[in-house]
Amino acid sequence: MIPVHNLYYLLCYAWHRLPDPAEAQAVEAQEFHRPLALLTHLLLQATRRQLRRGLSVGYTEQEAELTELRGRVQLAPTLARDLLRRGRAVCTYDELGPNTPLNQLLVGTLAQLSRTRALPAATRQQVRQVLGRFPSTVHPTPPTSQALLLLRRQRLQGAQAFLLHLCDLLHHCALPVPDEAGRHRFRDFRRDEVLMARLFEQFVRNFYRLEQRRYRVRSETIAWQAVADTAEDLALLPTMITDTSLEAADRKIILDTKYYAAALRTRHNRQRLIAPHLYQLYAYLQNQPATPGQQLEGVLLYPAATQEVDVRYTLGGHPVRVVTLDLAQPWPDIAAALLNLIF
């Protein structure tokens, strides 16, 4: 289990955001026992900042009975209600205001948090206070998969993207059915290995993007060094996409992250490396086209859940390292360990 305080750093980098020193200090000063409390704290802080700056505004479609024509007249309801004789008509028009999909999602998410007993009463009171600062024209939208999908398609940036990520993760943590009183329950997302594997991969890749300048950092597709009778036969080969590729003129590192409880497995009473992980990295290295003067290397990186591992090999002429990263140690040590991997 990653300590809750370290989750702050992992989430910031996973969502391509540098940790804010003041925010990090505030997080470390508090005692969070569950990720829900941390996520709620971050959502409150980010929402307060957004309210201070001014909520984003956008055009939303309105429909109303009007005495003056505005926008588009809806003939069917206008005639059905016999409004023309009274000098009225049903019109739809676009109005600029804060009732945007993101603001609606924020209000809906905060309203859900205000009803959960998993949060302390003082935190729920803070949530209600922040909710009270939203204009009454913002209509709450409960966080649903469909609402989140529509917002993700907008490709929000900066502070708005951070707010969306928080609402998305809170929705992922909420159990499908609220209890009898309508209060949602939440689970610890650190136990979701699929989610944590994705966050761990994004965290490592974006940490290197933001914290060093020597290497170009990306996820890349590697083409098979293969020939076949037809293009259709070649298309049957599986796609090879790296988690993280770090490339400089003289050195290239293919780094594959694996969020597993252990980097070793016991087989026939002996501990061994996990074969499919090593085969995958080996395939990446063997199919990478050679670049003159550039050293090609591979790294398998695991979280140090049950034991620490740090072994080095030369496989197919390429240096390969299998190593664990202790995510329970203080954040400065985690950052230093990640940088030491590539320098």
Side-chain angles (χ1 to χ4, degrees):
M1 279 290 194
I2 302 174
V4 174
H5 290 100
N6 282 348
L7 279 178
Y8 167 73
Y9 296 96
L10 185 144
L11 293 175
C12 281
Y13 284 106
W15 297 336
H16 209 273
R17 175 179 183 262
L18 278 170
D20 179 83
E23 188 175 65
Q25 188 175 10
V27 167
E28 291 175 359
Q30 297 194 43
E31 188 174 354
F32 297 110
H33 298 288
R34 298 179 181 178
L36 175 62
L38 172 66
L39 294 177
T40 303
H41 170 82
L42 295 177
L43 183 63
L44 286 173
Q45 293 293 95
T47 304
R48 289 184 184 116
R49 285 195 297 269
Q50 196 73 8
L51 287 164
R52 284 196 297 269
R53 295 192 193 106
L55 292 173
S56 59
V57 295
Y59 286 98
T60 55
E61 189 175 75
Q62 307 288 328
E63 181 175 300
E65 286 187 18
L66 303 176
T67 56
E68 296 180 355
L69 296 183
R70 182 178 178 185
R72 300 179 300 280
V73 176
Q74 300 298 313
L75 284 176
T78 298
L79 296 174
R81 301 175 199 173
D82 197 21
L83 297 177
L84 293 178
R85 288 197 301 173
R86 290 183 281 147
R88 302 175 68 85
V90 176
C91 300
T92 57
Y93 54 93
D94 293 331
E95 186 169 73
L96 183 66
N99 192 36
T100 63
L102 178 60
N103 293 336
Q104 292 171 355
L105 178 68
L106 280 175
V107 172
T109 303
L110 289 167
Q112 184 185 89
L113 291 171
S114 71
R115 296 189 297 269
T116 178
R117 295 294 183 185
L119 291 171
T123 302
R124 295 200 304 273
Q125 179 61 26
Q126 292 179 41
V127 172
R128 287 190 285 268
Q129 288 174 352
V130 171
L131 266 174
R133 295 173 59 184
F134 279 84
S136 59
T137 53
V138 178
H139 307 306
T141 296
T144 62
S145 299
Q146 182 64 22
L148 291 161
L149 177 61
L150 291 174
L151 273 169
R152 281 196 294 271
R153 288 175 176 169
Q154 294 185 14
R155 298 188 180 278
L156 301 175
Q157 301 294 322
Q160 290 187 334
F162 187 68
L163 285 165
L164 176 57
H165 284 307
L166 286 168
C167 292
D168 199 351
L169 190 52
L170 282 163
H171 169 68
H172 183 88
C173 297
L175 294 174
V177 181
D179 61 23
E180 295 78 5
R183 303 184 186 95
H184 284 74
R185 294 172 294 150
F186 290 81
R187 60 174 174 261
D188 190 335
F189 68 85
R190 293 174 297 176
R191 300 184 185 278
D192 186 330
E193 290 190 358
V194 175
L195 172 65
M196 289 304 300
R198 185 171 70 249
L199 289 174
F200 185 52
E201 175 191 331
Q202 294 170 343
F203 156 66
V204 172
R205 182 167 57 247
N206 288 332
F207 175 87
Y208 288 128
R209 280 176 174 161
L210 295 168
E211 296 294 352
Q212 59 80 42
R213 292 292 176 267
R214 180 185 174 190
Y215 299 95
R216 177 192 177 195
V217 181
R218 60 198 169 111
S219 174
E220 65 172 329
T221 300
I222 298 175
W224 288 89
Q225 303 299 304
V227 293
D229 293 337
T230 66
E232 289 77 12
D233 293 345
L234 281 176
L236 295 175
L237 291 170
T239 304
M240 291 190 291
I241 303 176
T242 65
D243 291 346
T244 303
S245 295
L246 302 103
E247 187 168 11
D250 61 335
R251 189 182 182 196
K252 182 171 184 177
I253 304 170
I254 296 178
L255 191 152
D256 221 33
T257 54
K258 301 296 182 186
Y259 196 84
Y260 276 64
L264 303 175
R265 283 181 179 168
T266 302
R267 184 175 177 82
H268 303 309
N269 296 321
R270 291 185 59 185
Q271 287 194 318
R272 298 182 186 274
L273 295 171
I274 301 174
H277 300 172
L278 205 57
Y279 296 157
Q280 181 184 27
L281 182 61
Y282 185 73
Y284 290 168
L285 296 172
Q286 291 302 110
N287 287 278
Q288 186 74 206
T291 301
Q294 187 184 70
Q295 173 70 58
L296 180 62
E297 305 173 27
V299 175
L300 273 177
L301 180 63
Y302 296 84
T306 58
Q307 61 189 140
E308 293 185 5
V309 173
D310 190 355
V311 293
R312 300 169 189 261
Y313 303 96
T314 299
L315 300 178
H318 304 296
V320 170
R321 185 177 181 185
V322 182
V323 62
T324 53
L325 175 67
D326 183 5
L327 295 175
Q329 62 186 320
W331 168 250
D333 296 335
I334 295 175
L338 283 171
L339 291 174
N340 287 338
L341 271 180
I342 63 171
F343 288 113

